[in-house]
Amino acid sequence: QVQLVESGGGLVQAGGSLRLSCSASGSIFANNVMGWYRQVPGKQRELVAVISSGGITNYADSVKGRFTISRDNAKNTMYLQMNSLRPEDTAVYYCNLNGWSSSRYRDYWGQGTQVTVSS
């Protein structure tokens, strides 16, 4: 099992910045992909950004140029630096870790952290 704990959410004005962290613990396997997803009430959870254990990244078009995903494999921690925040970035942000271990696909989620951007 892998446990994921997010932190760093909060209330910020439009144009401001926040940095989210996701700390992973437990039976963490190599060659995984970690990512940030977000969800607002009544809508499906959507991808924000993902990063492989090798550092390859991918971003949703809506956050390109504003958000930066990174990870510190030695600390088993992933980050999301969010700049130039907009009210439409308001959502619960979830951390995800997935990959193959012992011939099984594994998919883990954190409990989420609220990000609110006021106009």
Side-chain angles (χ1 to χ4, degrees):
Q1 284 289 335
V2 173
Q3 293 78 44
L4 302 172
V5 178
E6 302 100 334
S7 61
L11 173 64
V12 64
Q13 288 189 332
S17 298
L18 281 175
R19 189 192 195 204
L20 304 183
S21 298
C22 173
S23 178
S25 61
S27 302
I28 300 167
F29 45 91
N31 298 321
N32 59 69
V33 175
M34 296 187 75
W36 291 98
Y37 294 74
R38 65 188 182 187
Q39 188 171 23
V40 297
K43 292 190 176 181
Q44 286 190 329
R45 192 172 296 186
E46 65 175 9
L47 179 147
V48 176
V50 292
I51 184 168
S52 70
S53 51
I56 298 172
T57 60
N58 191 31
Y59 295 88
D61 288 343
S62 60
V63 307
K64 283 181 180 176
R66 300 188 299 123
F67 292 9
T68 302
I69 190 171
S70 62
R71 61 189 291 172
D72 185 334
N73 291 331
K75 295 182 179 179
N76 293 322
T77 301
M78 175 181 62
Y79 307 95
L80 185 68
Q81 178 66 44
M82 304 187 293
N83 298 329
S84 302
L85 283 161
R86 304 167 180 169
E88 54 264 38
D89 295 318
T90 295
V92 178
Y93 284 70
Y94 296 91
C95 171
N96 174 264
L97 184 151
N98 67 81
W100 287 88
S101 175
S102 302
S103 301
R104 288 181 57 190
Y105 178 74
R106 301 173 191 273
D107 192 31
Y108 300 99
W109 292 90
Q111 81 288 352
T113 185
Q114 176 71 46
V115 171
T116 303
V117 184
S118 63
S119 58

